[in-house]
Amino acid sequence: MHEESELVTGEAVVLDLRVAKLASRALAMLLDLLVQFALLLVAFFVLTLTVPGDDASLALTLILVFLVLILVGYPVLFETLSRGRSLGKMAVGLRVVRVDGGPIRFRHALTRGLAGFVIDFWALGVFGAVAVIVSLCSSDGRRVGDFLAGTLVVRDRAPESAAYSVIGMPPGLEGWAAQLDLTRLPDDLALASRQFLARFGQLAPEASHALGWKLAQQVGNALGTPVPPGVPPWAFLAAVLAERRNRDHARAVRAYAAQVEAARGHLPAGPEPGYSASAQPGFVATAGQAVPAPAPWSAAVAGPGPGVAGSGGAGFGVAGPGSGAAEDLPTPPSGTPVAPVENPFTPPS
């Protein structure tokens, strides 16, 4: 059973982080100690070759300086440059983060390094006894340096089975997604939605609901369409991304087919545009250019029957009962009632 944190962000969202306990942290610390010991041996060897043997005070001073630099500077440097990971933590799969889940900065790493040297491990720590006792008494396995710096050590590696390899189209949303104009969807917003779906199973229900609604509203505003009634945010995002992937795949297939035909001499060679207007819903290609096509929900061409009469009694209007034409309306999601009902997936208050 994995331990999870009970941290809350400034937006009152509960974070679902797998905290690192004493065993994994001790293994990472042991690996870091091996690296520091090797650095101390190198420093001692260099001092032996460069410092005169009769100057014992200078040699002792330099040894103390190198000792502090390696024991304090090593974790501070690595945790600052790698955003919370030393070599030992990289090997074990741990990371130091702030208590609100954000990445640490230099001041956090420096506080942890100084507290580790003075209190937790060496000067007053009785070779790590203080760190072990405080970590065992803490529910999140934090030592004194973590409390002073406001940090937390978490597991950085997520199980591979928790990630979505392929985002599929939710059942019943195929017809609705085919009507979307996806050229208005920014790439960064699509990437954020994909990352949310990849972490959907790792988040707490409250965090998943809040983040999902926030992303769904942003995507809906970009596309100019709201979330359909009765559709949860994750299904809305999955339908948009799946339709976007299918269209990209269809364009790639058409481009490859055009290149094959051009190589055979049937068509003039030329690259197919990536996001041309003719490849998007709502446009048709005529005379070498793309012009808007009639919207699927626009009025059908009516034969004799009700409508705005033109010459001969025939006109363009909404098809009547006897016109023989039917309105081409967008396909609603499966299970969506015709009459408006209360949406069970309400936005977070």
Side-chain angles (χ1 to χ4, degrees):
M1 181 177 180
H2 301 295
E3 294 290 341
E4 297 178 354
S5 69
E6 297 179 353
L7 305 180
V8 181
T9 65
E11 298 178 351
V13 176
V14 180
L15 296 179
D16 185 9
L17 300 177
R18 297 176 58 195
V19 299
K21 287 299 186 177
L22 181 61
S24 57
R25 296 188 63 174
L27 179 58
M29 182 66 183
L30 179 60
L31 297 176
D32 288 329
L33 285 179
L34 293 178
V35 176
Q36 291 173 326
F37 181 72
L39 293 176
L40 286 176
L41 289 181
V42 173
F44 181 77
F45 180 74
V46 172
L47 291 178
T48 303
L49 297 178
T50 57
V51 177
D54 55 350
D55 196 347
S57 59
L58 177 61
L60 181 60
T61 302
L62 292 177
I63 289 176
L64 292 177
V65 170
F66 276 103
L67 183 65
V68 174
L69 287 178
I70 292 176
L71 294 181
V72 178
Y74 164 81
V76 172
L77 178 64
F78 272 92
E79 291 181 1
T80 301
L81 297 179
S82 62
R83 295 298 183 92
R85 295 188 300 172
S86 62
L87 293 179
K89 291 183 176 63
M90 291 181 186
V92 181
L94 306 181
R95 181 187 293 272
V96 182
V97 298
R98 301 196 306 262
V99 291
D100 59 356
I104 66 171
R105 300 185 182 274
F106 172 74
R107 63 178 183 272
H108 304 99
L110 181 60
T111 303
R112 296 184 78 257
L114 292 177
F117 180 79
V118 177
I119 303 176
D120 285 320
F121 300 107
W122 307 119
L124 304 176
V126 195
F127 298 101
V130 174
V132 171
I133 295 175
V134 175
S135 180
L136 290 176
C137 295
S138 173
S139 60
D140 292 332
R142 303 166 69 186
R143 60 179 175 88
V144 177
D146 292 318
F147 284 103
L148 294 178
T151 57
L152 176 71
V153 181
V154 299
R155 294 184 178 274
D156 194 31
R157 295 174 182 169
E160 296 182 357
S161 59
Y164 289 89
S165 57
V166 176
I167 298 177
M169 175 68 70
L173 295 179
E174 298 87 352
W176 170 83
Q179 310 297 329
L180 299 176
D181 181 11
L182 299 181
T183 58
R184 304 168 58 182
L185 180 63
D187 291 338
D188 55 347
L189 187 55
L191 178 60
S193 302
R194 184 174 298 276
Q195 292 175 345
F196 164 74
L197 293 178
R199 299 177 53 208
F200 181 76
Q202 307 172 25
L203 300 175
E206 296 83 1
S208 176
H209 186 64
L211 295 178
W213 266 109
K214 182 178 179 181
L215 284 173
Q217 290 176 353
Q218 293 177 358
V219 172
N221 293 334
L223 299 180
T225 180
V227 180
V231 177
W234 66 265
F236 171 79
L237 297 174
V240 172
L241 295 181
E243 179 65 22
R244 191 172 191 257
R245 182 198 61 228
N246 294 339
R247 294 184 188 180
D248 290 339
H249 182 265
R251 276 190 297 272
V253 171
R254 289 196 300 268
Y256 176 75
Q259 293 177 0
V260 172
E261 293 296 329
R264 293 176 179 175
H266 297 292
L267 294 176
E272 179 169 335
Y275 261 93
S276 63
S278 60
Q280 302 304 318
F283 290 87
V284 295
T286 58
Q289 62 181 354
V291 298
W297 52 84
S298 62
V301 177
V308 180
S311 59
F316 294 95
V318 180
S323 62
E327 295 181 0
D328 187 12
L329 297 177
T331 304
S334 176
T336 303
V338 177
V341 296
E342 183 180 358
N343 186 2
F345 300 95
T346 56
S349 58

